[in-house]
Amino acid sequence: RYVWLLNQAKKPQLASWQQRAMAHLCEVEERDLTRRKIREPLALRNVTMRVSILLHENKITEAVTIATGATLSNHVALLLADQARKLHPDISIRIYRPEIFQQASLGGNNSYQQAYALLEKLLPLLAESEAKALLNELRTRFKAKRNFIALIAPL
């Protein structure tokens, strides 16, 4: 919907529309957080929509700032990690690492392929010693998952 609205906006009005949209999303996030805190006192603000908009606009640093200490959908978190790899490798590492373990834990060749793809993105961001330690940890933890171990064997 946001892209459609951008296409509808006239150029001089675009900046004011963007500001209004972001302000509205902040209000929606605050209302949602207030409702969720009744059930979950430690709930975090869900900033999925704002981060996805900022990523669409290629405002990566601002997206990282907003996402830090908040909740994101898994899909948007992975998009953030992909786009932030060069500018904010630490953020990408914090997103990729648990996702690799999650995918490998699920089992099945499709999940193993996804874990492997994420691992290929993560390894260049790590120092050589960290990469070796991660691979050893994966091999130890998932040694019973032979297809996954065979997939990461060349690494």
Side-chain angles (χ1 to χ4, degrees), residues 33-86:
L33 180 62
T34 304
R35 278 194 304 261
R36 288 189 313 134
K37 281 209 179 241
I38 292 170
R39 288 176 272 136
E40 273 182 80
L42 300 176
L44 298 173
R45 180 185 299 262
N46 187 336
V47 294
T48 299
M49 184 62 72
R50 274 197 302 160
V51 169
S52 63
I53 289 170
L54 291 169
L55 291 176
H56 176 75
E57 294 176 350
N58 209 24
K59 296 179 180 176
I60 297 165
T61 301
E62 195 174 339
V64 166
T65 303
I66 289 172
T68 304
T71 303
L72 286 176
S73 73
N74 196 40
H75 173 71
V76 173
L78 290 173
L79 283 175
L80 177 64
D82 288 345
Q83 291 187 23
R85 268 190 296 190
K86 290 181 182 173

Side-chain angles (χ1 to χ4, degrees), residues 60 64-65 68 80-81 84-98 122 124-126 130:
I60 297 165
V64 166
T65 303
T68 304
L80 177 64
R85 268 190 296 190
K86 290 181 182 173
L87 295 173
H88 304 280
D90 55 320
I91 297 294
S92 297
I93 291 168
R94 289 191 345 227
I95 294 171
Y96 287 143
R97 187 179 170 88
L122 175 63
L125 303 176
L126 299 173
E130 291 174 320

